[in-house]
Amino acid sequence: MELATRKQTLNDILKDFHDIEEMLIESGGELTPDIEQLLDQNAVDLDSKLDGYASFIDYLKGQVEYLKNVEAQFKDHRQTVENAIRRMKSRVLYALKATGNEKHKTAMHSYSIKLSESWKVDEDRLDQEQKGDLVADGLAEFVFKPSITGLKNAYKGAPIPDWVDVTVNESVQIR
């Protein structure tokens, strides 16, 4: 049985491992010098590949941090530009009002003062029945967001309620 040569993928290395396992079975369990050499090489290949993955994971973690930083900078930049637009529009509104013009036309643009309403519900002035009616009428939605951390702390060492689904996940820790 011929094993793959260098420049192997992780799947290639795992396939080689299973091929070596098959060789061991075919030899009746006898660990021949050839099989032992193949096992040693496979172990070296696996170590090298895993270390390569770990190095690339570290690189990608750095990329994530960099992108988060850039994302935050662009968000700040966008907010600054949006604020500048609001301030300029406010100055245009002030100029129109100060000159007594509800409408003004230039060679490039037309300006007019527009009235709009901004609504906000004061939830403190609503009772539970009113809130329920608004939800039932499709004018509000009930948002339920349990605290997973709070639940974990509250039920630590105690029986977990049947309305909580716990999934055990496997992950690898690289140090």
Side-chain angles (χ1 to χ4, degrees):
M1 200 178 295
E2 174 128 355
L3 298 179
T5 55
R6 303 283 149 237
K7 291 245 180 185
Q8 297 175 301
T9 66
L10 183 56
N11 282 338
D12 292 336
I13 294 168
L14 294 174
K15 181 187 176 306
D16 286 352
F17 178 81
H18 291 297
D19 289 346
I20 296 166
E21 181 181 36
E22 187 63 33
M23 290 172 142
L24 188 60
I25 291 169
E26 288 174 6
S27 74
E30 182 184 343
L31 189 59
T32 65
D34 287 344
I35 293 174
E36 193 166 333
Q37 182 181 5
L38 290 171
L39 280 171
D40 289 344
Q41 184 59 52
N42 187 261
V44 168
D45 293 343
L46 182 62
D47 288 354
S48 175
K49 185 58 70 172
L50 294 179
D51 286 345
Y53 271 58
S55 295
F56 198 64
I57 288 168
D58 287 342
Y59 165 77
L60 292 175
K61 284 180 181 178
Q63 287 295 99
V64 167
E65 287 306 310
Y66 168 76
L67 292 171
K68 281 181 183 178
N69 186 30
V70 170
E71 179 181 38
Q73 288 175 356
F74 277 115
K75 181 181 177 193
D76 290 344
H77 184 81
R78 177 186 54 83
Q79 288 174 338
T80 299
V81 171
E82 287 173 343
N83 289 339
I85 290 168
R86 274 192 291 282
R87 283 192 300 274
M88 284 189 232
K89 282 187 169 185
S90 175
R91 289 180 180 180
V92 169
L93 176 63
Y94 174 76
L96 290 174
K97 289 169 82 174
T99 59
N101 292 319
E102 285 196 28
K103 294 183 177 187
H104 186 81
K105 184 157 177 63
T106 67
M108 294 180 65
H109 300 284
S110 294
Y111 303 86
S112 61
I113 296 175
K114 173 181 116 176
L115 298 177
S116 63
E117 294 180 341
S118 178
W119 288 33
K120 182 178 179 190
V121 174
D122 184 353
E123 290 185 50
D124 294 336
R125 297 192 334 221
L126 289 171
D127 61 31
Q128 287 299 80
E129 183 179 344
Q130 290 170 313
K131 289 179 182 179
D133 290 343
L134 288 171
V135 170
D137 292 341
L139 301 174
E141 61 183 39
F142 175 70
V143 178
F144 177 74
K145 187 169 183 343
S147 166
I148 300 302
T149 302
L151 287 170
K152 284 180 180 180
N153 290 336
Y155 290 101
K156 184 178 264 178
I160 299 170
D162 64 352
W163 43 264
V164 174
D165 290 327
V166 177
T167 303
V168 177
N169 300 307
E170 285 186 323
S171 66
V172 73
Q173 183 178 15
I174 302 171
R175 296 183 203 181

